[in-house]
Amino acid sequence: MREARIGTAVIQLVQGDITQQDTEAIVNAANRSLRGGGGVDGAIHRAGGPQILEECKKLGGCETGDAKTTSGGRLKAKYVIHAVGPIYRGGKHGEAELLASAYRRSLEEAAAHNVTSIAFPSISTGAYGYPIEEASRIALETVMNQLPRFPGIKLVRFVLFTKNDLQVYETQLDKILASQQR
Ligand code: ADP
């Protein structure tokens, strides 16, 4: 577990299963159809039950870089924020901006629902193939830069599925914090 204070908020890095988090919102690494899928998406729908998919069907899909909110169904979290990251196609197709947008839009959705705590998975670094070193830098920098816009959000937790992914995020966080101190 690693923590960093950003203004009045805290960023945490933990290894775990996002479906088990007790934050008010959890973010899903969804696809544009919002009809469920593998990876985190499948795990969230399995753990949260059919209500989440029923709500998703009414949302009319979601563009890449955008995010939409449903209830948490049977999850501890009150809300699931379904964010669509980019499929990585070499890095020259606007992927970085789209990934940053997915995190930014998730925070906007959280704030719009008066959420004070939110957990993110590592969006796009599974089936969507985004290299995690680069994706983790974008994830952390975007959240750190955007947090001052959302004074109601007091906790942002990144939930990494594997020990290696957690280590990559920890290394990136250390790098970002070190570069800010200079
Ligand atoms: P994407 O299609 O956006 O790449 P994936 O779900 O395939 O999304 O993978 C995103 C990340 O989520 C990967 O690092 C994967 O290991 C991780 N992951 C898979 N299941 C879970 C879970 N239950 N909790 C947290 N992270 C998970």
Side-chain angles (χ1 to χ4, degrees), residues 14 16 19 30 40 50-52 55 72 83 86-90 99 129-130 134-135 148 151 182:
V14 305
T19 66
V40 168
Q51 187 190 331
I52 298 175
E55 292 179 42
I87 296 172
Y88 191 78
R89 293 190 292 142
L99 186 61
Y130 212 121
E134 165 88 2
R182 275 190 281 119

Side-chain angles (χ1 to χ4, degrees), residues 127-151:
Y128 279 7
Y130 212 121
I132 191 167
E133 283 76 13
E134 165 88 2
S136 59
R137 185 179 60 73
I138 292 167
L140 290 165
E141 285 185 350
T142 302
V143 167
M144 291 163 91
N145 291 335
Q146 293 290 316
L147 264 180
R149 288 177 60 203
F150 310 109

Side-chain angles (χ1 to χ4, degrees), residues 135-176:
S136 59
R137 185 179 60 73
I138 292 167
L140 290 165
E141 285 185 350
T142 302
V143 167
M144 291 163 91
N145 291 335
Q146 293 290 316
L147 264 180
R149 288 177 60 203
F150 310 109
I153 301 177
K154 301 297 186 194
L155 170 64
V156 178
R157 180 181 293 157
F158 287 90
V159 180
L160 293 318
F161 207 41
T162 68
K163 189 169 184 195
N164 183 68
D165 288 357
L166 174 62
Q167 281 170 353
V168 172
Y169 270 70
E170 286 175 344
T171 300
Q172 285 296 347
L173 179 61
D174 290 343
K175 272 191 201 169
I176 294 167

Side-chain angles (χ1 to χ4, degrees), residues 16-21 28-31 38-44 46 83-87 120-130 132 159-162 165:
D17 179 347
I18 197 146
T19 66
Q20 302 305 310
Q21 302 304 309
N28 181 15
N31 57 58
V40 168
D41 201 358
I44 287 173
R46 272 195 304 279
V84 182
I87 296 172
F120 282 98
S122 183
I123 298 170
S124 284
T125 66
Y128 279 7
Y130 212 121
I132 191 167
V159 180
L160 293 318
F161 207 41
T162 68
D165 288 357

Side-chain angles (χ1 to χ4, degrees), residues 3-22:
E3 264 191 9
R5 182 163 284 283
I6 310 294
T8 61
V10 169
I11 291 184
Q12 290 181 344
L13 310 181
V14 305
Q15 186 183 350
D17 179 347
I18 197 146
T19 66
Q20 302 305 310
Q21 302 304 309
D22 58 5

